[in-house]
Amino acid sequence: MKKGIWLLAMALGLAACGDDRSPSQRTGSAVGGSAMDFVAGPGEGVDRRTSLTLEVAPAMAARGLTVTLGKSCGMGARDASIYVIASHSFTGTLVARALDAEGREIGRALVEVAMAADDAQYVDFTFSEEMDSQRVRSYALSVR
């Protein structure tokens, strides 16, 4: 029994490593976050963790493009998948810029897209292997 409690305490401690908060705050967050994911259901918990914060340039709307969803392809992945709806036909280049916590660009990916009017699709952006995906906090989308 004592061995099980010790293993649980170690697991919670490791889950909170690399955080500036006190050990009790980190442990509470680790337990609370896991509990919230469980309560939300497995699909919703995963969706919340893979959802992206997106900044969409006004030029995209001017070209008839709407972005409704962005997802990361997983922890540490250098890929992002963005759902784009075209109200008018569009042929051109979409640009995704990876931004760090200070809003500085740390990666860029371009994708050529051809969409008919009233079309929608996921657009997959692949960033350079050199990009540190752990530093990405948001993505800025634009057209070229």
Side-chain angles (χ1 to χ4, degrees):
M1 178 69 173
K2 287 183 182 181
K3 196 178 230 183
I5 292 172
W6 185 82
L7 287 173
L8 178 62
M10 288 296 294
L12 290 174
L14 289 174
C17 284
D19 203 336
D20 293 337
R21 297 173 293 167
S22 73
S24 62
Q25 288 173 323
R26 288 191 302 244
T27 304
S29 273
V31 171
S34 297
M36 288 304 292
D37 287 344
F38 179 76
V39 169
E44 290 178 27
V46 170
D47 282 349
R48 230 180 311 154
R49 288 179 184 230
T50 61
S51 292
L52 303 177
T53 301
L54 303 171
E55 299 172 16
V56 181
M60 289 189 68
R63 301 280 299 268
L65 301 174
T66 304
V67 175
T68 61
L69 177 70
K71 288 189 173 192
S72 165
C73 296
M75 184 69 155
R78 289 178 176 81
D79 301 300
S81 187
I82 313 297
Y83 193 70
V84 180
I85 301 169
S87 59
H88 316 336
S89 63
F90 172 80
T91 300
T93 304
L94 297 182
V95 181
R97 291 175 175 83
L99 307 174
D100 67 8
E102 287 79 35
R104 294 181 300 221
E105 181 177 332
I106 59 172
R108 184 181 299 193
L110 293 86
V111 176
E112 293 292 324
V113 177
M115 297 175 75
D118 196 30
D119 194 7
Q121 69 183 50
Y122 280 97
V123 178
D124 298 321
F125 294 92
T126 302
F127 292 86
S128 169
E129 287 185 24
E130 291 81 18
M131 184 183 82
D132 182 1
S133 61
Q134 300 298 316
R135 295 184 55 213
V136 177
R137 295 296 175 262
S138 65
Y139 292 88
L141 302 172
S142 59
V143 293
R144 186 178 271 184

